[in-house]
Amino acid sequence: MSHNHEHHHHHSTQIESLSSAFIIGIILNSLFLVVEFILGLVYNSIGLVSDAGHNLTDVVSLVLALLAYSLTKVSSNKKFTYGYKKTSILVSLINAIILFVAVIFIVYESVEKMLNPIEIKGGVISITAGIGVVINGITAWLFVKDKEKDLNVKGAYLHMAADALVSIGVVLSGIIITLTGWYIIDGIIGIVVAVIIIAATWDLLNKSVRLSIDGVPAGIDFNHIADTISQTEGVKEVHHLHIWAISTRENALTAHIVVDNIEDMEEIKHEIKHRLEHENITHSTLEFENTFCHCEEHNLLIKE
């Protein structure tokens, strides 16, 4: 009981820490995107306007992620027995879709700018984007320690890190424009922005879709989990095994376990649950059977 209380307290502390990180990121990026958008319009820079548009989607994604984290703290009830934890998966999917829509806009505007280049101030672009490198770098740093523990956090980290790289590219384009007067480079940078967004978002989209249809979460090997259960002392067979995500941080499992001696069920159940916790599966529901049970799914276990 004490272990569970400590785990819950640690989990709550992590959520509070991440909530603060999201709030700081939202404030910093909101202020910057307003400045960047205004300067982009004033100096006719599609590079700045497209990057501001991308930063807007980042702010929206941070707000949605913060909302999802707030909802994970809502207690379960008779209508939502897992609470609202699944919203974190829906948010990661929505964020990925929003980014792909933003890419369409950026590509369209960039091509238009390349076909009809307009004179812009390279120095202003470089200075503004330089500020962006700092803002995005700080925001990305806020999520570094938790990026491998949660899909939403990883998405936020990848977006901010990609933005920092994009801003570096915009700095370079501003310098090139100042030195050479090649205004077409601004549109080219817009295309590069789009490519980087797609590259950073594709994995997020793939994993989000997978979790939203209750696929086995990335990082969990189905066969390894089956073997982990099967190799537990007293276990004869495992079948009817299902693994899915409750949220971007918590995974669940159900399985039928055939045992030699049904009287050892409680001890075996405790050992299996303990092993599963080490595999990042915190919610497990196990149905035990003896060797004489005629379950329809005996010997049925996916091995691909």
Coordinates of all heavy atoms in Angstrom, one line a residue, residues 43-46 109-120 177 181-188:
Y43 N 7.8 43.3 -42.9 CA 9.0 43.2 -43.8 C 8.8 42.1 -45.0 O 9.8 41.7 -45.6 CB 10.2 42.8 -43.0 CG 10.7 43.9 -42.1 CD1 10.3 43.9 -40.7 CD2 11.4 45.0 -42.6 CE1 10.7 44.9 -39.9 CE2 11.8 46.0 -41.7 CZ 11.5 46.0 -40.4 OH 11.8 47.0 -39.6
N44 N 7.5 41.7 -45.2 CA 7.2 40.8 -46.3 C 8.0 39.5 -46.3 O 8.5 39.1 -47.4 CB 7.4 41.6 -47.6 CG 6.5 42.7 -47.8 OD1 5.3 42.6 -47.5 ND2 7.0 43.8 -48.3
S45 N 8.2 38.9 -45.1 CA 9.0 37.7 -45.1 C 8.1 36.5 -44.8 O 7.5 36.3 -43.8 CB 10.0 37.8 -43.9 OG 10.6 36.5 -43.7
I46 N 8.0 35.6 -45.9 CA 7.2 34.4 -45.7 C 7.9 33.5 -44.8 O 7.3 32.6 -44.1 CB 7.0 33.7 -47.1 CG1 6.0 32.5 -46.9 CG2 8.3 33.3 -47.7 CD1 4.7 32.9 -46.4
E109 N 2.4 29.0 -49.6 CA 2.9 30.3 -49.5 C 4.4 30.4 -49.9 O 4.8 31.4 -50.5 CB 2.8 30.8 -48.0 CG 1.4 31.1 -47.6 CD 0.7 32.2 -48.4 OE1 1.4 33.1 -48.8 OE2 -0.5 32.1 -48.6
S110 N 5.1 29.4 -49.6 CA 6.6 29.3 -50.0 C 6.7 29.3 -51.5 O 7.6 30.0 -52.1 CB 7.3 28.1 -49.4 OG 7.2 28.2 -48.0
V111 N 5.9 28.4 -52.2 CA 6.0 28.3 -53.6 C 5.6 29.7 -54.3 O 6.3 30.1 -55.2 CB 5.1 27.2 -54.1 CG1 5.0 27.3 -55.7 CG2 5.6 25.9 -53.7
E112 N 4.6 30.3 -53.7 CA 4.2 31.6 -54.2 C 5.3 32.6 -54.1 O 5.5 33.5 -55.0 CB 2.9 32.1 -53.4 CG 2.4 33.5 -53.8 CD 1.9 33.6 -55.2 OE1 1.5 32.6 -55.8 OE2 1.9 34.7 -55.7
K113 N 6.0 32.6 -53.0 CA 7.1 33.5 -52.7 C 8.3 33.3 -53.6 O 8.9 34.2 -54.1 CB 7.5 33.4 -51.2 CG 8.2 34.6 -50.7 CD 7.2 35.7 -50.5 CE 7.9 36.9 -49.8 NZ 6.9 38.0 -49.5
M114 N 8.5 32.0 -54.0 CA 9.6 31.7 -54.9 C 9.3 32.1 -56.3 O 10.2 32.5 -57.0 CB 9.9 30.1 -54.8 CG 10.5 29.7 -53.5 SD 10.5 27.9 -53.4 CE 11.7 27.5 -54.6
L115 N 8.0 32.0 -56.7 CA 7.6 32.4 -58.0 C 7.6 33.9 -58.2 O 7.8 34.5 -59.2 CB 6.3 31.8 -58.4 CG 6.2 30.3 -58.5 CD1 4.8 29.8 -58.7 CD2 7.1 29.8 -59.6
N116 N 7.2 34.6 -57.0 CA 7.2 36.1 -57.0 C 7.9 36.6 -55.8 O 7.3 37.1 -54.9 CB 5.7 36.5 -57.0 CG 4.9 35.9 -58.1 OD1 5.1 36.3 -59.3 ND2 4.0 35.0 -57.8
P117 N 9.2 36.6 -55.9 CA 10.0 37.1 -54.7 C 9.8 38.6 -54.5 O 9.7 39.3 -55.4 CB 11.5 36.7 -55.1 CG 11.4 36.6 -56.6 CD 10.1 36.1 -57.0
I118 N 9.8 38.9 -53.2 CA 9.6 40.4 -52.8 C 10.9 40.8 -52.0 O 11.4 40.0 -51.2 CB 8.4 40.5 -52.0 CG1 7.1 40.1 -52.8 CG2 8.2 42.0 -51.5 CD1 5.8 40.2 -52.1
E119 N 11.3 42.0 -52.1 CA 12.4 42.5 -51.4 C 12.1 42.5 -49.9 O 11.1 42.9 -49.4 CB 12.8 43.9 -51.8 CG 14.0 44.5 -51.1 CD 14.4 45.9 -51.6 OE1 13.8 46.3 -52.6 OE2 15.2 46.5 -50.9
I120 N 13.0 41.9 -49.1 CA 12.9 41.9 -47.6 C 14.2 42.3 -46.9 O 15.2 42.3 -47.5 CB 12.4 40.4 -47.2 CG1 13.4 39.4 -47.7 CG2 11.1 40.1 -47.6 CD1 13.1 38.0 -47.3
I177 N 20.6 36.7 -47.6 CA 19.9 37.8 -48.3 C 20.6 39.1 -48.2 O 20.8 39.9 -49.1 CB 18.5 37.9 -47.8 CG1 17.6 36.7 -48.2 CG2 17.8 39.2 -48.2 CD1 16.2 36.6 -47.6
G181 N 21.4 39.4 -51.7 CA 20.2 39.9 -52.3 C 19.4 38.8 -53.0 O 18.4 39.1 -53.7
W182 N 19.6 37.6 -52.7 CA 18.8 36.5 -53.2 C 17.5 36.3 -52.4 O 17.5 35.5 -51.5 CB 19.6 35.2 -53.2 CG 20.9 35.2 -54.1 CD1 21.2 36.1 -55.0 CD2 21.9 34.2 -54.0 NE1 22.4 35.8 -55.6 CE2 22.9 34.6 -55.0 CE3 22.2 33.1 -53.3 CZ2 24.1 34.0 -55.3 CZ3 23.4 32.4 -53.5 CH2 24.3 32.8 -54.5
Y183 N 16.5 37.0 -52.8 CA 15.3 37.0 -52.0 C 14.5 35.7 -52.1 O 13.7 35.3 -51.3 CB 14.4 38.2 -52.4 CG 15.0 39.5 -52.3 CD1 15.3 40.3 -53.3 CD2 15.4 39.9 -51.0 CE1 15.9 41.6 -53.2 CE2 16.0 41.2 -50.8 CZ 16.3 42.0 -51.9 OH 16.9 43.2 -51.7
I184 N 14.8 34.9 -53.2 CA 14.2 33.6 -53.4 C 14.5 32.7 -52.3 O 13.7 31.7 -52.0 CB 14.6 33.0 -54.7 CG1 13.6 31.9 -55.1 CG2 16.0 32.6 -54.7 CD1 13.8 31.4 -56.5
I185 N 15.6 32.9 -51.6 CA 16.0 32.0 -50.5 C 15.0 31.9 -49.4 O 14.8 31.0 -48.7 CB 17.4 32.4 -49.9 CG1 18.0 31.3 -49.1 CG2 17.3 33.7 -49.0 CD1 18.5 30.1 -49.9
D186 N 14.2 33.0 -49.2 CA 13.1 33.1 -48.2 C 12.1 32.0 -48.4 O 11.6 31.3 -47.5 CB 12.5 34.5 -48.2 CG 11.6 34.7 -47.0 OD1 12.0 34.3 -45.9 OD2 10.5 35.2 -47.2
G187 N 11.7 31.9 -49.7 CA 10.7 30.8 -50.0 C 11.3 29.4 -49.9 O 10.6 28.5 -49.4
I188 N 12.6 29.3 -50.2 CA 13.2 28.0 -50.1 C 13.3 27.6 -48.6 O 13.0 26.4 -48.3 CB 14.7 28.1 -50.6 CG1 14.6 28.3 -52.2 CG2 15.4 26.8 -50.3 CD1 15.9 28.5 -52.8

